[in-house]
Amino acid sequence: MAQPLLGTLLADSTPPPGRLALCLLACLAGYFAVFAANDLIDARLDRERFAYLRAYQGFDIDSAGGRHPLAQGRLSRAAGGAWIAALGAVALAVGALLSWVCAALLAAAALLEAVYCGLARVTPFKFLLTGVLVACGGCLGWFAMTSAVDRPVLWLFCVWLAAWEIGGRNIVNDWADVEEDVHLGVRTVPVVYGPRISGVLTFGCLVLATVAGAGMFAAAWPSHGLLGPAAMLLLSGYALIAPGLRLLRDPRPRHAMALFNRASLYPAATLGLLLSGVLTDGLLGG
């Protein structure tokens, strides 16, 4: 939920409580619906994956708790479909109350997720869709507060989200699953292009996310001077650049997952940094 919350605060540092609550409800329902739809569409592929599951040493934050309940037989297909339909209806209804743009972003996210799943065995370039998908989720928070599209901070926010998702989560998550994906015929960047190109592409996206994040803070809080961008650069250096460099030097799956785990917490940490800026502005204004 950190991404849409960041969007709301970037658009309006003091969002109306009622509108903020509606935005959170739409995002929560929409995210759960999209993630569940991923499991529903990929149920057959996930069952094949579980049949070939290899032992993995290390912690994967994405595997905390039960994964893919449909594929593991813990949930029926009908129950999964009903869950998705109910949550999707709530998300679209609340999104429409906020803005037609919010409803359109939710619909676009669902469509992108379906296309992404359908391309699993077709092309490794499906990772581009995940960047757009995540940017749509963050923008929902923005457009829940304003219809403005001519502010540089919005475009920096979109670039930041897309680069973070591609470099910090998508490619490195696939990196840890190369053996399984080769067996299943899933085409990903690490499977098709190997660790060298995957590493360069990953690190390039991490650098782009770092630069866009610093620019985003500079555009959002010009009154803070270099303080906001400097803090964002430090955070990005710890969460993205340091583990990214480690992966470049030693392209093993455990280093890919170490980057994935740290990058997964990056938006929440950025939200905390942004909230501190909002509070500082409030105190100075008072």
Side-chain angles (χ1 to χ4, degrees):
M1 296 300 294
Q3 296 98 303
L5 277 173
L6 281 164
T8 63
L9 292 174
L10 288 169
D12 184 350
S13 59
T14 56
R19 201 162 184 81
L20 179 60
L22 286 175
C23 176
L24 291 177
L25 176 59
C27 291
L28 189 63
Y31 279 7
F32 271 112
V34 169
F35 289 142
N38 179 290
D39 276 11
L40 185 64
I41 298 169
D42 277 351
R44 181 178 177 181
L45 180 62
D46 290 335
R47 280 193 292 269
E48 294 179 33
R49 189 180 296 277
F50 279 118
Y52 186 73
L53 199 62
R54 57 170 173 72
Y56 171 71
Q57 293 183 343
F59 175 68
D60 176 1
I61 195 171
D62 204 33
S63 297
R67 291 188 69 192
H68 308 304
L70 281 171
Q72 296 193 64
R74 297 176 181 175
L75 190 69
S76 71
R77 198 172 186 87
W83 172 260
I84 294 166
L87 287 175
V90 170
L92 284 173
V94 177
L97 285 176
L98 289 167
S99 162
W100 70 267
V101 178
C102 292
L105 286 170
L106 286 165
L111 178 61
L112 286 168
E113 185 67 33
V115 174
Y116 176 80
C117 293
L119 294 176
R121 287 168 164 154
V122 177
T123 174
F125 293 102
K126 58 186 179 293
F127 71 84
L128 296 170
L129 297 180
T130 66
V132 179
L133 172 59
V134 169
C136 284
C139 285
L140 197 152
W142 174 279
F143 287 106
M145 300 299 149
T146 179
S147 60
V149 296
D150 58 345
R151 289 166 57 180
V153 66
L154 171 62
W155 302 105
L156 288 166
F157 180 51
C158 290
V159 171
W160 176 74
L161 281 174
W164 161 75
E165 166 62 22
I166 293 170
R169 286 177 52 83
N170 187 271
I171 295 177
V172 290
N173 195 29
D174 290 336
W175 203 317
D177 294 332
V178 167
E179 185 180 336
E180 295 170 12
D181 288 339
V182 168
H183 176 78
L184 296 171
V186 175
R187 294 174 64 82
T188 65
V189 172
V191 167
V192 176
Y193 295 105
R196 182 175 179 82
I197 291 179
S198 298
V200 172
L201 180 57
T202 294
F203 194 71
C205 287
L206 297 179
V207 170
L208 179 58
T210 298
V211 174
M216 180 175 72
F217 266 67
W221 310 106
S223 60
H224 292 183
L226 295 177
L227 182 61
M232 190 60 177
L233 285 173
L234 287 174
L235 175 59
S236 301
Y238 171 78
L240 304 180
I241 301 300
L245 284 171
R246 191 178 303 117
L247 180 61
L248 270 180
R249 290 193 299 266
D250 188 1
R252 283 184 285 176
R254 67 186 184 92
H255 290 146
M257 289 316 302
L259 169 56
F260 177 89
N261 292 336
R262 195 175 291 188
S264 293
L265 302 175
Y266 176 60
T270 303
L271 177 61
L273 193 61
L274 188 60
L275 282 171
S276 68
V278 171
L279 292 173
T280 300
D281 267 9
L283 291 173
L284 291 176

